[in-house]
């Protein structure tokens, strides 16, 4: 059986070299004690894989070893990345970590069972040379007293994929990341109550931890359909801030539809005594892997979405 640690065929290595060169030109380099690169990526059905360099039409799953090499190369450009849609079977995740090497580690949730949970986990992968865990890991629990403010039926569904909070330290700076994968539901209106409840909870927690000089960043797949729609307004209703660089129309989220605004990296930027990020934001964007990842195979976007993803990774660079 072929292993991810085997030497890849020449055509696979040539494709990886093209991907690396494109990443070098588009993602900031890691600079010791100067910057911090935080990212989020919904990797479609990130679970099992086929142990071939190039999967065939009859293979299931479609994701193969070449795909994992591409995914790992993209992830390696960041210091810490939140990943959504990690499945019950984590073979692809484990192979990704093998490619990343001994300096990388991870922490993840248990599986969300049930039809709506879709057998998903959420995970953080991080470069231990730049970032390490600082002690906190937990999932969102909304107090029952808030039910009247966020809708009577919101609590019955929002915990299927509970937001996952983990604290990290870079140099001497502590920050808390909360990753989300909002339930898509049958319509945009079905997401409003959950988004409202989560926004309220995020503000309450960010406001309390701000006294301890810890930064708080929310990131993940919020399933916001379009810029400026009611879903975005609801998510930002408690003061969450999305920097202009990540609101740019050229910073697309979906490989299929440039208008979608699903994925976000956001924080509170209060002008008064409320929570405010102490790290200086430098820049941010997405990474469009479509022209280079697996480019030697002449794939449709639909096929590419099962091998790599249907979402682009989103990143933000901070000064530390």
């Amino acid at each position: 059986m072929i292993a991810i640690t085997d030497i890849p065929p020449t055509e696979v290595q040539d494709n990886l070299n093209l991907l690396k060169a494109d990443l070098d030109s588009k993602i900031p380099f890691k600079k010791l004690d100067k910057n911090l690169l935080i990212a989020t990526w919904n990797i479609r059905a990130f679970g099992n894989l086929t142990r071939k360099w190039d999967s065939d039409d009859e293979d299931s799953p479609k994701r193969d070893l070449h795909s994992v090499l591409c995914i790992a190369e993209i992830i390696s450009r960041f210091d810490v990345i939140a990943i959504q849609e990690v499945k019950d079977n984590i073979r692809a995740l484990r192979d990704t970590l093998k490619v990343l090497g001994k300096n990388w580690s991870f922490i993840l949730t248990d599986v969300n069972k049930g039809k709506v949970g879709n057998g998903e986990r959420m995970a953080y992968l991080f470069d231990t040379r730049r970032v390490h865990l600082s002690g906190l890991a937990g999932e969102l629990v909304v107090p029952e007293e808030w039910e009247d403010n966020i809708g009577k039926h919101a609590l019955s569904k929002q915990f299927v994929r509970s937001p996952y909070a983990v604290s990290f330290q870079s140099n001497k700076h502590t920050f808390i990341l909360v990753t989300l994968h909002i339930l898509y539901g049958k319509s945009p209106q079905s997401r409003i109550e959950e988004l409202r409840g989560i926004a309220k909870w995020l503000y309450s927690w960010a406001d309390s931890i701000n006294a301890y000089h810890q930064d708080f960043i929310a990131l993940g797949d919020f399933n916001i359909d379009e810029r400026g729609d009611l879903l975005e307004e609801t998510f930002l209703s408690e003061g969450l801030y999305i920097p202009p660089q990540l609101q740019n129309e050229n910073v697309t989220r979906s490989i299929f539809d440039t208008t979608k605004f699903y994925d976000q990296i956001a924080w509170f930027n209060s002008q008064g005594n409320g929570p405010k990020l102490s790290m200086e934001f430098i820049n941010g964007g997405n990474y469009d892997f479509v022209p280079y990842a697996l480019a030697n195979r002449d794939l449709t976007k639909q096929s590419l979405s099962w091998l790599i993803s249907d979402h682009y990774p989103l990143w933000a660079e901070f000064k530390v």
Side-chain angles (χ1 to χ4, degrees):
M1 181 181 292
I2 301 172
I4 193 67
T5 52
D6 292 346
I7 298 174
T10 301
E11 61 270 21
V12 172
Q13 189 59 59
D14 288 345
N15 174 249
L16 282 173
N17 290 338
L18 289 173
L19 180 64
K20 289 177 182 179
D22 189 58
L23 283 160
D24 285 345
S25 68
K26 293 176 180 174
I27 304 297
F29 289 101
K30 298 179 183 182
K31 301 172 185 176
L32 183 64
D33 295 335
K34 290 188 177 180
N35 70 345
L36 178 68
L37 290 159
I38 296 174
T40 180
W41 195 5
N42 182 326
I43 302 180
R44 189 173 195 178
F46 197 41
N48 203 356
L49 71 131
T50 294
R51 291 200 179 279
K52 295 179 179 178
W53 293 112
D54 187 346
S55 60
D56 299 320
D57 290 343
E58 64 271 16
D59 287 326
S60 180
K62 298 301 180 188
R63 184 167 286 122
D64 52 31
L65 298 178
H66 187 180
S67 308
V68 169
L69 290 178
C70 291
I71 290 169
E73 185 59 43
I74 294 169
I75 289 173
S76 72
R77 302 307 173 110
F78 308 112
D79 295 317
V80 56
I81 182 169
I83 299 178
Q84 302 84 46
E85 278 202 45
V86 178
K87 306 296 281 186
D88 192 355
N89 183 320
I90 59 171
R91 176 179 284 180
L93 174 65
R94 289 193 178 280
D95 272 24
T96 298
L97 285 161
K98 288 178 183 177
V99 176
L100 289 168
K102 64 180 181 180
N103 292 318
W104 281 77
S105 189
F106 74 106
I107 185 169
L108 75 169
T109 64
D110 197 2
V111 178
N112 289 301
K113 299 290 187 180
K115 181 179 178 181
V116 185
N118 199 29
E120 293 183 17
R121 310 171 187 259
M122 287 182 285
Y124 294 97
L125 275 62
F126 53 98
D127 184 343
T128 59
R129 295 166 297 184
R130 307 257 300 170
V131 169
H132 63 265
L133 298 172
S134 66
L136 172 72
E139 299 183 24
L140 163 64
V141 177
V142 174
E144 292 183 7
E145 292 81 8
W146 289 5
E147 187 169 333
D148 290 339
N149 295 326
I150 64 177
K152 284 188 176 181
H153 304 293
L155 296 180
S156 65
K157 291 186 177 181
Q158 68 171 311
F159 298 115
V160 174
R161 294 191 295 234
S162 300
Y164 186 41
V166 175
S167 64
F168 296 92
Q169 190 171 48
S170 177
N171 200 354
K172 295 181 180 180
H173 194 90
T174 301
F175 57 96
I176 297 174
L177 301 182
V178 180
T179 188
L180 313 171
H181 188 189
I182 296 293
L183 182 65
Y184 192 80
K186 296 181 179 180
S187 67
Q189 287 72 28
S190 68
R191 292 168 238 159
I192 289 175
E193 288 184 349
E194 183 177 359
L195 277 169
R196 182 182 294 119
I198 286 172
K200 179 180 176 65
W201 181 88
L202 289 173
Y203 180 86
S204 175
W205 197 23
D207 192 38
S208 66
I209 67 167
N210 196 249
Y212 298 95
H213 307 290
Q214 295 177 331
D215 282 328
F216 184 94
I217 298 172
L219 70 174
D221 181 358
F222 298 93
N223 271 318
I224 296 171
D225 281 330
E226 297 179 7
R227 293 164 175 81
D229 68 5
L230 183 58
L231 291 171
E232 184 189 9
E233 291 177 6
T234 301
F235 177 63
L236 300 179
S237 61
E238 295 290 332
L240 276 165
Y241 169 78
I242 302 171
Q245 292 90 332
L246 296 181
Q247 296 190 52
N248 190 304
E249 291 184 359
N250 293 323
V251 181
T252 52
R253 273 60 168 178
S254 166
I255 72 170
F256 296 119
D257 187 342
T258 59
T259 68
K260 296 303 181 186
F261 205 41
Y262 297 140
D263 309 283
Q264 304 296 342
I265 300 175
W267 54 87
F268 292 98
N269 199 26
S270 303
Q271 299 304 310
N273 295 323
K276 185 175 182 178
L277 196 73
S278 66
M279 291 190 296
E280 179 184 342
F281 172 71
I282 300 173
N283 201 3
N286 67 353
Y287 177 66
D288 181 0
F289 54 81
V290 172
Y292 294 97
L294 313 180
N296 60 310
R297 290 161 61 169
D298 193 27
L299 299 165
T300 65
K301 281 191 175 182
Q302 183 62 36
S303 295
L304 186 64
S305 75
W306 290 107
L307 289 158
I308 306 293
S309 186
D310 52 346
H311 290 241
Y312 297 119
L314 195 69
W315 59 270
E317 180 186 18
F318 299 92
K319 182 178 179 180
V320 294

